[in-house]
């Protein structure tokens, strides 16, 4: 079976095998619990929840909108009674199919559980509900001089529950780490519908670090109903600069040398020519459309330290032949540069009807080689590709452009994506940096984990989710298919 | 049953119920595997491994010193065959009984697995064996301008395997986090004796974050045989200052205000008068013996930023009435100040035959209240207490002085320790910041975790260590005893 066939096979565009009678009864039970307006079940309504931002799909039997942890616990108990899956969903901005109902069941959407429950400025903590939009937390904190660090590009719409489920990253992971470095405790609902607290507000909670385990577990171990996050002071100074290169390798080598020099900027993003053209047409942020690559570099902290760092970064960029290094003159220009970067995926809509974002990680020193291989692989499959990514972390995001109306194109996209991940794995990297495995990369797990490695993970799933009630059929390679995943 | 009785009951100063014949056979099998000089089994030899740095004890049946992962795997398979416990042990510097054989079995000591296997300066990673002494890693990195961040006070002797097992902290956790923030991947041996890799060198490994789960699992889920750690550049500048206070509350409030101001020094340590007197008598680092408290504060990073931070810290200290703020003039003075702090536990030997270190965490803003309660509790039990701790993290280390020759004194020490942890839990804190639960705080787990919380943790243990082969009878409250843990 080819990978393309496996993918097509792996999602169920329909729903579960629930009988019409059982489904009617389930909808009635959920309506009694939540009220009619908080239960969706007609095909028309369900169609909206078939997708996320990936190229995967699958239809649930019913979509519900609880407003309390207790309601979530009761929904899980109902799901147990009907023996149907439960899939948690935030804003549906995920890129690997994590929030899609693979085999029907109940999708729990957290739109109504979107409040900030507590902010403790003195001890630098906040308690939030999972449906809170990422940016809304920082917006609430900024007037007091604080913010929440992780800033995925989708931060205007993605939710903190989804961020925790996928262990989301963002441009500033370079200095500050990913979501798991900013979450200290959770309230969860177990598969039995029990409400449990894990972790707390301290750095090292006694007993097992279940918070660490659950962050990034992609909805397969529990349903998250409350999150304790770290908040931090806004930096005194932020300086953002754009370095323009006529040569892609020179840009990559600049990244390696900046890190090797001991300077750690808060972000080093790279965009190649195709992306620059799309972004500039879309945002008019002042990016050059003729450059081979641009680095968007940010330094932050105390004024004096930022000045020094910026001087060092400028000098390294110049040494590697940057044709121009421009420092954003003010906050407005800085925001515009970031708007361009963060809207890059959207901007690509200008040049292609569809695109597929890959998410691999490689050692920074391997960036020039891997970028060349990405280009060769896409050329081989007759596909256009652009690169916009977290260069400082070695976290690649090749955007492969395609049109699903062209017969065979989506299959070639999947094959190219798979080959790119093979290259990442070969150089000692990883198959996902921040977008998760979900439905998208189940087969590729076998590229970096042995059967014994996966067996231990499955033992943990067995302990927390023995009947695969939560988000079934994701994350792990499907039985008997690992070995068959080979480009045709 | 009082807590004191429970404690006495909870350790077995003898060994397991192995028959003499079985034990002889086991020793023979281990000798065949490892060679005679790497297997200890006489009562005289075993007595050395009955202790760690806590007040707990327990004797193993046999102590072994493997030199490879394969040998560790074979030892675990043997333990399975004999159905006896396996307890991993580094340098035995642990403070909660984690490396003690509670009910006999095999102690695996990692002295021979103490090598640095690989250092990748470009990608800022190192791969080490668990028996490597913490400080030896930084010593190897320093000539190239790098170091490994976590620096427990015992870093001259404690091992990285033990650090991972306990998720060790240290003075610099304030800025850099605990061990889990610096470890990216592990090689482990499972209870079946299988060798498995978890995590890797990237920040966010796909699948479950088993690395996060296993760090701090205190030897109850797996045996660690290899560790991938982050290494970082040495800071350009480090400045260390001592602020001297005539009033304990003023010192505590200074800590809160420094953090609230947005300055995050790399360390803020506090020592009270009793500790200062012991330390100064021992180290002659220039600490005042008449002060109520001293803060040892360190700032590090780029020269310009450190200068600014130090100015801010000095001004906050002065505002709170510090009678003197002294900046270490040179590296020699800085090292001497830290030597005093890091040898504080040892120095207490000058003023008491024995001491018991507690390890609780409280919100920084609660420091003045909790320090008062610590003093009142110890006074109530007629015990002397000194405080030397990570004030910036709110991580208390009351040192309760005692003499076990005085009848009833050890029981009063345990009761006082328990009451101190009750206070920490009451103000929203935790029962351990970095020393672990082990044998020492099993009962206190119930102060901060509900039965449902603990049930989820036990499910995870059941998944990874179903027959309690690894470090049995630790970490969790003993059956039927949670409710009985009350001061008499």
């Amino acid at each position: 079976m080819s990978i393309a066939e496996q993918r097509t096979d792996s999602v169920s565009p329909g729903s579960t095998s629930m009988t019409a009678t059982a489904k009617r009864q389930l909808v009635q039970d959920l309506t009694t619990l939540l009220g009619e307006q908080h239960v969706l079940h007609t095909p028309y309504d369900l169609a909206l929840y078939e997708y996320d931002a990936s190229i995967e799909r699958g239809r649930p039997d019913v979509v519900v909108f609880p407003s309390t942890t207790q309601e979530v616990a009761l929904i899980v108990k109902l799901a147990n009674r009907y023996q149907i899956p439960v899939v948690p969903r935030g804003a549906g901005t995920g890129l690997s199919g994590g929030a899609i109902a693979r085999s029907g069941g109940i999708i729990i959407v957290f739109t109504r559980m979107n409040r900030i429950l507590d902010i403790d400025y003195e001890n630098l903590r906040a308690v939030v509900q999972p449906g809170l939009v990422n940016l809304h937390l920082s917006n609430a904190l900024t007037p007091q001089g604080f913010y929440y660090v992780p800033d995925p590009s989708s931060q205007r719409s993605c939710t903190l529950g989804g961020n925790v489920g996928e262990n989301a990253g963002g441009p500033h992971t370079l200095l500050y780490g990913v979501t798991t470095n900013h979450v200290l405790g959770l309230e969860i609902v177990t598969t039995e519908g029990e409400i449990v607290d894990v972790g707390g507000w301290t750095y090292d909670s006694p007993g097992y670090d279940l918070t660490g385990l659950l962050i990034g577990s992609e909805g397969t171990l529990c349903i998250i109903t409350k999150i304790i996050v770290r908040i931090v002071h806004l930096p005194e100074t932020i300086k953002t600069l754009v370095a323009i290169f006529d040569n892609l390798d020179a840009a990559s080598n600049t990244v390696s040398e900046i890190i090797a020099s001991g300077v750690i900027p808060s972000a080093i993003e790279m965009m190649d020519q195709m992306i620059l053209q799309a972004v500039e047409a879309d945002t008019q942020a002042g990016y050059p459309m003729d450059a081979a690559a641009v680095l968007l570099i940010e330094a932050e902290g105390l004024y004096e330290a930022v000045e020094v760092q910026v001087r060092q970064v400028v000098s390294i960029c110049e040494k590697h032949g940057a044709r121009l290094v421009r420092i954003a003159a003010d906050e407005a220009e800085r925001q515009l540069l970031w708007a361009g970067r963060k809207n890059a995926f959207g901007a690509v809509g200008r040049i292609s009807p569809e695109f597929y974002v890959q998410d691999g990680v490689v050692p920074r020193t391997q960036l020039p080689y891997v970028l060349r291989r990405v280009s060769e692989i896409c050329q081989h499959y007759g596909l256009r590709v652009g690169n916009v990514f977290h260069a400082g972390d070695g976290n690649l995001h090749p955007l492969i452009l395609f049109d699903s109306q062209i017969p065979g194109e989506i299959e070639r996209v999947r094959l190219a994506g798979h080959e790119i991940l093979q290259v990442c794995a070969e150089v000692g990297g990883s198959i996902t940096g921040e977008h998760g495995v979900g439905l998208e990369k189940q087969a590729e797990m076998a590229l970096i984990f042995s059967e014994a490695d996966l067996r231990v993970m499955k033992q943990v799933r067995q302990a927390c989710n023995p009947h695969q009630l939560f988000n079934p059929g994701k994350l792990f390679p499907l039985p008997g298919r690992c070995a068959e995943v080979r480009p045709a």
Side-chain angles (χ1 to χ4, degrees), chain A residues 88 96 98 130 159-168 179 183 186 213-220 222 224 227 434-437 471 475:
Chain A
S96 58
T159 64
L160 288 169
N163 292 174
V164 170
E166 302 293 329
N167 193 13
T179 299
V183 172
L186 300 169
L213 173 67
L214 299 175
I215 295 171
S217 64
E218 304 194 9
T220 65
C222 68
I224 291 158
I227 307 166
E434 52 184 14
H435 298 173
V437 175
N471 223 354
L475 200 60

PDB file of all heavy atoms in Angstrom, chain A residues 88 96 98 130 159-168 179 183 186 213-220 222 224 227 434-437 471 475:
ATOM      1  N   PRO A  88     -11.106  16.354  21.609  1.00  0.00           N
ATOM      2  CA  PRO A  88     -11.153  17.761  22.018  1.00  0.00           C
ATOM      3  C   PRO A  88     -10.717  18.665  20.873  1.00  0.00           C
ATOM      4  O   PRO A  88      -9.890  18.263  20.057  1.00  0.00           O
ATOM      5  CB  PRO A  88     -10.139  17.817  23.158  1.00  0.00           C
ATOM      6  CG  PRO A  88      -9.140  16.752  22.831  1.00  0.00           C
ATOM      7  CD  PRO A  88      -9.886  15.669  22.083  1.00  0.00           C
ATOM      8  N   SER A  96      -1.994  19.002  11.795  1.00  0.00           N
ATOM      9  CA  SER A  96      -1.739  17.577  11.615  1.00  0.00           C
ATOM     10  C   SER A  96      -2.972  16.710  11.846  1.00  0.00           C
ATOM     11  O   SER A  96      -2.850  15.491  11.977  1.00  0.00           O
ATOM     12  CB  SER A  96      -0.601  17.137  12.547  1.00  0.00           C
ATOM     13  OG  SER A  96      -0.920  17.418  13.886  1.00  0.00           O
ATOM     14  N   GLY A  98      -5.051  16.728  14.465  1.00  0.00           N
ATOM     15  CA  GLY A  98      -5.291  16.343  15.861  1.00  0.00           C
ATOM     16  C   GLY A  98      -6.717  16.558  16.330  1.00  0.00           C
ATOM     17  O   GLY A  98      -7.239  15.795  17.138  1.00  0.00           O
ATOM     18  N   PRO A 130      -9.204  26.171  28.633  1.00  0.00           N
ATOM     19  CA  PRO A 130      -8.533  25.744  27.400  1.00  0.00           C
ATOM     20  C   PRO A 130      -9.008  26.453  26.135  1.00  0.00           C
ATOM     21  O   PRO A 130      -8.271  26.496  25.144  1.00  0.00           O
ATOM     22  CB  PRO A 130      -8.845  24.240  27.320  1.00  0.00           C
ATOM     23  CG  PRO A 130      -9.999  24.013  28.225  1.00  0.00           C
ATOM     24  CD  PRO A 130      -9.921  25.065  29.289  1.00  0.00           C
ATOM     25  N   THR A 159      -6.108  28.276  20.317  1.00  0.00           N
ATOM     26  CA  THR A 159      -6.430  28.331  21.744  1.00  0.00           C
ATOM     27  C   THR A 159      -5.324  27.699  22.585  1.00  0.00           C
ATOM     28  O   THR A 159      -4.550  26.869  22.097  1.00  0.00           O
ATOM     29  CB  THR A 159      -7.735  27.579  22.038  1.00  0.00           C
ATOM     30  OG1 THR A 159      -7.540  26.189  21.719  1.00  0.00           O
ATOM     31  CG2 THR A 159      -8.900  28.147  21.229  1.00  0.00           C
ATOM     32  N   LEU A 160      -5.301  28.063  23.851  1.00  0.00           N
ATOM     33  CA  LEU A 160      -4.276  27.520  24.741  1.00  0.00           C
ATOM     34  C   LEU A 160      -4.455  26.024  24.956  1.00  0.00           C
ATOM     35  O   LEU A 160      -3.482  25.293  25.113  1.00  0.00           O
ATOM     36  CB  LEU A 160      -4.271  28.290  26.064  1.00  0.00           C
ATOM     37  CG  LEU A 160      -3.682  29.695  25.888  1.00  0.00           C
ATOM     38  CD1 LEU A 160      -3.930  30.554  27.118  1.00  0.00           C
ATOM     39  CD2 LEU A 160      -2.189  29.628  25.606  1.00  0.00           C
ATOM     40  N   GLY A 161      -5.699  25.545  24.959  1.00  0.00           N
ATOM     41  CA  GLY A 161      -5.924  24.103  25.069  1.00  0.00           C
ATOM     42  C   GLY A 161      -5.277  23.361  23.900  1.00  0.00           C
ATOM     43  O   GLY A 161      -4.607  22.340  24.092  1.00  0.00           O
ATOM     44  N   GLY A 162      -5.470  23.893  22.701  1.00  0.00           N
ATOM     45  CA  GLY A 162      -4.840  23.295  21.527  1.00  0.00           C
ATOM     46  C   GLY A 162      -3.328  23.393  21.605  1.00  0.00           C
ATOM     47  O   GLY A 162      -2.605  22.445  21.287  1.00  0.00           O
ATOM     48  N   ASN A 163      -2.824  24.533  22.063  1.00  0.00           N
ATOM     49  CA  ASN A 163      -1.366  24.718  22.232  1.00  0.00           C
ATOM     50  C   ASN A 163      -0.786  23.665  23.173  1.00  0.00           C
ATOM     51  O   ASN A 163       0.276  23.110  22.917  1.00  0.00           O
ATOM     52  CB  ASN A 163      -1.057  26.094  22.832  1.00  0.00           C
ATOM     53  CG  ASN A 163      -1.367  27.272  21.920  1.00  0.00           C
ATOM     54  OD1 ASN A 163      -1.260  28.404  22.318  1.00  0.00           O
ATOM     55  ND2 ASN A 163      -1.791  27.013  20.685  1.00  0.00           N
ATOM     56  N   VAL A 164      -1.513  23.394  24.264  1.00  0.00           N
ATOM     57  CA  VAL A 164      -1.040  22.389  25.223  1.00  0.00           C
ATOM     58  C   VAL A 164      -1.113  20.999  24.591  1.00  0.00           C
ATOM     59  O   VAL A 164      -0.176  20.207  24.670  1.00  0.00           O
ATOM     60  CB  VAL A 164      -1.858  22.444  26.529  1.00  0.00           C
ATOM     61  CG1 VAL A 164      -1.532  21.260  27.424  1.00  0.00           C
ATOM     62  CG2 VAL A 164      -1.586  23.755  27.260  1.00  0.00           C
ATOM     63  N   GLY A 165      -2.223  20.713  23.919  1.00  0.00           N
ATOM     64  CA  GLY A 165      -2.388  19.400  23.289  1.00  0.00           C
ATOM     65  C   GLY A 165      -1.274  19.088  22.304  1.00  0.00           C
ATOM     66  O   GLY A 165      -0.812  17.951  22.205  1.00  0.00           O
ATOM     67  N   GLU A 166      -0.829  20.114  21.557  1.00  0.00           N
ATOM     68  CA  GLU A 166       0.196  19.903  20.528  1.00  0.00           C
ATOM     69  C   GLU A 166       1.593  20.330  20.976  1.00  0.00           C
ATOM     70  O   GLU A 166       2.531  20.242  20.203  1.00  0.00           O
ATOM     71  CB  GLU A 166      -0.182  20.677  19.256  1.00  0.00           C
ATOM     72  CG  GLU A 166      -1.536  20.300  18.661  1.00  0.00           C
ATOM     73  CD  GLU A 166      -1.556  18.867  18.114  1.00  0.00           C
ATOM     74  OE1 GLU A 166      -0.507  18.403  17.659  1.00  0.00           O
ATOM     75  OE2 GLU A 166      -2.625  18.239  18.182  1.00  0.00           O
ATOM     76  N   ASN A 167       1.727  20.816  22.195  1.00  0.00           N
ATOM     77  CA  ASN A 167       2.993  21.391  22.650  1.00  0.00           C
ATOM     78  C   ASN A 167       3.492  22.402  21.612  1.00  0.00           C
ATOM     79  O   ASN A 167       4.601  22.276  21.063  1.00  0.00           O
ATOM     80  CB  ASN A 167       4.046  20.317  22.919  1.00  0.00           C
ATOM     81  CG  ASN A 167       5.248  20.856  23.687  1.00  0.00           C
ATOM     82  OD1 ASN A 167       5.197  21.966  24.232  1.00  0.00           O
ATOM     83  ND2 ASN A 167       6.325  20.085  23.737  1.00  0.00           N
ATOM     84  N   ALA A 168       2.679  23.409  21.364  1.00  0.00           N
ATOM     85  CA  ALA A 168       2.928  24.365  20.287  1.00  0.00           C
ATOM     86  C   ALA A 168       4.221  25.149  20.508  1.00  0.00           C
ATOM     87  O   ALA A 168       4.651  25.354  21.643  1.00  0.00           O
ATOM     88  CB  ALA A 168       1.751  25.330  20.172  1.00  0.00           C
ATOM     89  N   THR A 179       5.658  25.237  24.486  1.00  0.00           N
ATOM     90  CA  THR A 179       4.572  25.358  25.465  1.00  0.00           C
ATOM     91  C   THR A 179       4.894  24.654  26.783  1.00  0.00           C
ATOM     92  O   THR A 179       4.611  25.180  27.859  1.00  0.00           O
ATOM     93  CB  THR A 179       3.263  24.810  24.866  1.00  0.00           C
ATOM     94  OG1 THR A 179       2.939  25.591  23.701  1.00  0.00           O
ATOM     95  CG2 THR A 179       2.115  24.919  25.861  1.00  0.00           C
ATOM     96  N   VAL A 183       3.980  25.878  30.966  1.00  0.00           N
ATOM     97  CA  VAL A 183       2.776  25.360  31.622  1.00  0.00           C
ATOM     98  C   VAL A 183       3.207  24.552  32.838  1.00  0.00           C
ATOM     99  O   VAL A 183       4.087  23.701  32.737  1.00  0.00           O
ATOM    100  CB  VAL A 183       1.955  24.482  30.653  1.00  0.00           C
ATOM    101  CG1 VAL A 183       0.822  23.789  31.391  1.00  0.00           C
ATOM    102  CG2 VAL A 183       1.410  25.341  29.511  1.00  0.00           C
ATOM    103  N   LEU A 186      -2.237  21.359  35.264  1.00  0.00           N
ATOM    104  CA  LEU A 186      -3.458  21.187  34.474  1.00  0.00           C
ATOM    105  C   LEU A 186      -4.568  20.622  35.351  1.00  0.00           C
ATOM    106  O   LEU A 186      -4.302  19.895  36.311  1.00  0.00           O
ATOM    107  CB  LEU A 186      -3.213  20.172  33.342  1.00  0.00           C
ATOM    108  CG  LEU A 186      -2.121  20.476  32.312  1.00  0.00           C
ATOM    109  CD1 LEU A 186      -1.862  19.237  31.451  1.00  0.00           C
ATOM    110  CD2 LEU A 186      -2.511  21.665  31.440  1.00  0.00           C
ATOM    111  N   LEU A 213       4.014  14.959  30.699  1.00  0.00           N
ATOM    112  CA  LEU A 213       3.534  13.853  29.861  1.00  0.00           C
ATOM    113  C   LEU A 213       2.323  14.269  29.037  1.00  0.00           C
ATOM    114  O   LEU A 213       2.209  13.948  27.851  1.00  0.00           O
ATOM    115  CB  LEU A 213       3.160  12.663  30.757  1.00  0.00           C
ATOM    116  CG  LEU A 213       2.482  11.489  30.049  1.00  0.00           C
ATOM    117  CD1 LEU A 213       3.446  10.804  29.084  1.00  0.00           C
ATOM    118  CD2 LEU A 213       1.947  10.486  31.060  1.00  0.00           C
ATOM    119  N   LEU A 214       1.402  14.991  29.658  1.00  0.00           N
ATOM    120  CA  LEU A 214       0.123  15.301  28.990  1.00  0.00           C
ATOM    121  C   LEU A 214       0.280  16.399  27.945  1.00  0.00           C
ATOM    122  O   LEU A 214      -0.454  16.423  26.958  1.00  0.00           O
ATOM    123  CB  LEU A 214      -0.926  15.674  30.039  1.00  0.00           C
ATOM    124  CG  LEU A 214      -1.227  14.543  31.042  1.00  0.00           C
ATOM    125  CD1 LEU A 214      -2.186  15.022  32.128  1.00  0.00           C
ATOM    126  CD2 LEU A 214      -1.786  13.309  30.344  1.00  0.00           C
ATOM    127  N   ILE A 215       1.237  17.321  28.178  1.00  0.00           N
ATOM    128  CA  ILE A 215       1.461  18.377  27.182  1.00  0.00           C
ATOM    129  C   ILE A 215       2.035  17.720  25.920  1.00  0.00           C
ATOM    130  O   ILE A 215       3.024  17.009  25.984  1.00  0.00           O
ATOM    131  CB  ILE A 215       2.429  19.450  27.731  1.00  0.00           C
ATOM    132  CG1 ILE A 215       1.783  20.155  28.920  1.00  0.00           C
ATOM    133  CG2 ILE A 215       2.793  20.456  26.634  1.00  0.00           C
ATOM    134  CD1 ILE A 215       2.712  21.063  29.675  1.00  0.00           C
ATOM    135  N   GLY A 216       1.373  17.947  24.811  1.00  0.00           N
ATOM    136  CA  GLY A 216       1.815  17.330  23.563  1.00  0.00           C
ATOM    137  C   GLY A 216       1.280  15.931  23.354  1.00  0.00           C
ATOM    138  O   GLY A 216       1.683  15.254  22.413  1.00  0.00           O
ATOM    139  N   SER A 217       0.356  15.480  24.207  1.00  0.00           N
ATOM    140  CA  SER A 217      -0.180  14.119  24.028  1.00  0.00           C
ATOM    141  C   SER A 217      -1.346  14.115  23.043  1.00  0.00           C
ATOM    142  O   SER A 217      -1.989  13.086  22.829  1.00  0.00           O
ATOM    143  CB  SER A 217      -0.559  13.498  25.371  1.00  0.00           C
ATOM    144  OG  SER A 217      -1.604  14.207  25.989  1.00  0.00           O
ATOM    145  N   GLU A 218      -1.618  15.267  22.441  1.00  0.00           N
ATOM    146  CA  GLU A 218      -2.531  15.365  21.299  1.00  0.00           C
ATOM    147  C   GLU A 218      -3.919  14.788  21.581  1.00  0.00           C
ATOM    148  O   GLU A 218      -4.522  14.142  20.715  1.00  0.00           O
ATOM    149  CB  GLU A 218      -1.893  14.699  20.063  1.00  0.00           C
ATOM    150  CG  GLU A 218      -0.517  15.283  19.726  1.00  0.00           C
ATOM    151  CD  GLU A 218      -0.010  14.907  18.333  1.00  0.00           C
ATOM    152  OE1 GLU A 218      -0.781  14.330  17.555  1.00  0.00           O
ATOM    153  OE2 GLU A 218       1.159  15.223  18.027  1.00  0.00           O
ATOM    154  N   GLY A 219      -4.412  15.015  22.770  1.00  0.00           N
ATOM    155  CA  GLY A 219      -5.777  14.591  23.083  1.00  0.00           C
ATOM    156  C   GLY A 219      -5.956  13.099  23.234  1.00  0.00           C
ATOM    157  O   GLY A 219      -7.079  12.611  23.291  1.00  0.00           O
ATOM    158  N   THR A 220      -4.836  12.351  23.313  1.00  0.00           N
ATOM    159  CA  THR A 220      -4.975  10.895  23.371  1.00  0.00           C
ATOM    160  C   THR A 220      -4.919  10.343  24.801  1.00  0.00           C
ATOM    161  O   THR A 220      -5.049   9.133  24.984  1.00  0.00           O
ATOM    162  CB  THR A 220      -3.875  10.189  22.555  1.00  0.00           C
ATOM    163  OG1 THR A 220      -2.606  10.459  23.168  1.00  0.00           O
ATOM    164  CG2 THR A 220      -3.863  10.652  21.107  1.00  0.00           C
ATOM    165  N   CYS A 222      -6.102  12.458  27.831  1.00  0.00           N
ATOM    166  CA  CYS A 222      -7.040  13.107  28.739  1.00  0.00           C
ATOM    167  C   CYS A 222      -7.685  14.280  28.018  1.00  0.00           C
ATOM    168  O   CYS A 222      -7.256  14.634  26.920  1.00  0.00           O
ATOM    169  CB  CYS A 222      -6.300  13.639  29.983  1.00  0.00           C
ATOM    170  SG  CYS A 222      -5.190  15.004  29.586  1.00  0.00           S
ATOM    171  N   ILE A 224      -8.237  18.273  28.606  1.00  0.00           N
ATOM    172  CA  ILE A 224      -7.729  19.350  29.463  1.00  0.00           C
ATOM    173  C   ILE A 224      -8.830  20.378  29.702  1.00  0.00           C
ATOM    174  O   ILE A 224      -9.465  20.848  28.755  1.00  0.00           O
ATOM    175  CB  ILE A 224      -6.511  20.014  28.791  1.00  0.00           C
ATOM    176  CG1 ILE A 224      -5.344  19.030  28.797  1.00  0.00           C
ATOM    177  CG2 ILE A 224      -6.125  21.314  29.505  1.00  0.00           C
ATOM    178  CD1 ILE A 224      -4.304  19.310  27.746  1.00  0.00           C
ATOM    179  N   ILE A 227      -5.720  25.284  32.780  1.00  0.00           N
ATOM    180  CA  ILE A 227      -4.273  25.338  32.537  1.00  0.00           C
ATOM    181  C   ILE A 227      -3.642  26.397  33.445  1.00  0.00           C
ATOM    182  O   ILE A 227      -4.122  27.533  33.489  1.00  0.00           O
ATOM    183  CB  ILE A 227      -3.986  25.700  31.063  1.00  0.00           C
ATOM    184  CG1 ILE A 227      -4.741  24.755  30.114  1.00  0.00           C
ATOM    185  CG2 ILE A 227      -2.494  25.658  30.765  1.00  0.00           C
ATOM    186  CD1 ILE A 227      -4.801  25.241  28.668  1.00  0.00           C
ATOM    187  N   GLU A 434       6.662  21.136  16.004  1.00  0.00           N
ATOM    188  CA  GLU A 434       5.650  21.807  16.803  1.00  0.00           C
ATOM    189  C   GLU A 434       4.224  21.555  16.316  1.00  0.00           C
ATOM    190  O   GLU A 434       3.278  21.912  16.994  1.00  0.00           O
ATOM    191  CB  GLU A 434       5.906  23.323  16.791  1.00  0.00           C
ATOM    192  CG  GLU A 434       6.058  23.869  15.367  1.00  0.00           C
ATOM    193  CD  GLU A 434       6.408  25.357  15.326  1.00  0.00           C
ATOM    194  OE1 GLU A 434       6.780  25.920  16.356  1.00  0.00           O
ATOM    195  OE2 GLU A 434       6.274  25.945  14.231  1.00  0.00           O
ATOM    196  N   HIS A 435       4.053  20.935  15.141  1.00  0.00           N
ATOM    197  CA  HIS A 435       2.698  20.767  14.606  1.00  0.00           C
ATOM    198  C   HIS A 435       2.041  19.459  15.032  1.00  0.00           C
ATOM    199  O   HIS A 435       0.843  19.288  14.845  1.00  0.00           O
ATOM    200  CB  HIS A 435       2.701  20.870  13.082  1.00  0.00           C
ATOM    201  CG  HIS A 435       3.155  22.204  12.572  1.00  0.00           C
ATOM    202  ND1 HIS A 435       3.372  22.460  11.252  1.00  0.00           N
ATOM    203  CD2 HIS A 435       3.422  23.363  13.221  1.00  0.00           C
ATOM    204  CE1 HIS A 435       3.776  23.726  11.098  1.00  0.00           C
ATOM    205  NE2 HIS A 435       3.829  24.279  12.291  1.00  0.00           N
ATOM    206  N   GLY A 436       2.809  18.544  15.576  1.00  0.00           N
ATOM    207  CA  GLY A 436       2.231  17.300  16.056  1.00  0.00           C
ATOM    208  C   GLY A 436       2.180  16.205  14.999  1.00  0.00           C
ATOM    209  O   GLY A 436       2.503  16.422  13.825  1.00  0.00           O
ATOM    210  N   VAL A 437       1.783  15.031  15.447  1.00  0.00           N
ATOM    211  CA  VAL A 437       1.731  13.838  14.595  1.00  0.00           C
ATOM    212  C   VAL A 437       0.311  13.645  14.050  1.00  0.00           C
ATOM    213  O   VAL A 437       0.105  13.522  12.847  1.00  0.00           O
ATOM    214  CB  VAL A 437       2.167  12.587  15.399  1.00  0.00           C
ATOM    215  CG1 VAL A 437       1.997  11.326  14.559  1.00  0.00           C
ATOM    216  CG2 VAL A 437       3.602  12.742  15.869  1.00  0.00           C
ATOM    217  N   ASN A 471      -9.543  10.407  21.286  1.00  0.00           N
ATOM    218  CA  ASN A 471      -8.808  10.626  20.031  1.00  0.00           C
ATOM    219  C   ASN A 471      -8.174   9.350  19.479  1.00  0.00           C
ATOM    220  O   ASN A 471      -6.956   9.303  19.246  1.00  0.00           O
ATOM    221  CB  ASN A 471      -7.741  11.704  20.257  1.00  0.00           C
ATOM    222  CG  ASN A 471      -7.695  12.690  19.100  1.00  0.00           C
ATOM    223  OD1 ASN A 471      -8.381  12.520  18.081  1.00  0.00           O
ATOM    224  ND2 ASN A 471      -6.892  13.723  19.230  1.00  0.00           N
ATOM    225  N   LEU A 475      -1.574   9.339  16.233  1.00  0.00           N
ATOM    226  CA  LEU A 475      -0.265   9.428  16.874  1.00  0.00           C
ATOM    227  C   LEU A 475       0.631   8.224  16.596  1.00  0.00           C
ATOM    228  O   LEU A 475       1.795   8.393  16.270  1.00  0.00           O
ATOM    229  CB  LEU A 475      -0.447   9.611  18.397  1.00  0.00           C
ATOM    230  CG  LEU A 475       0.713  10.185  19.193  1.00  0.00           C
ATOM    231  CD1 LEU A 475       1.088  11.558  18.705  1.00  0.00           C
ATOM    232  CD2 LEU A 475       0.345  10.266  20.687  1.00  0.00           C
TER     233      LEU A 475
END
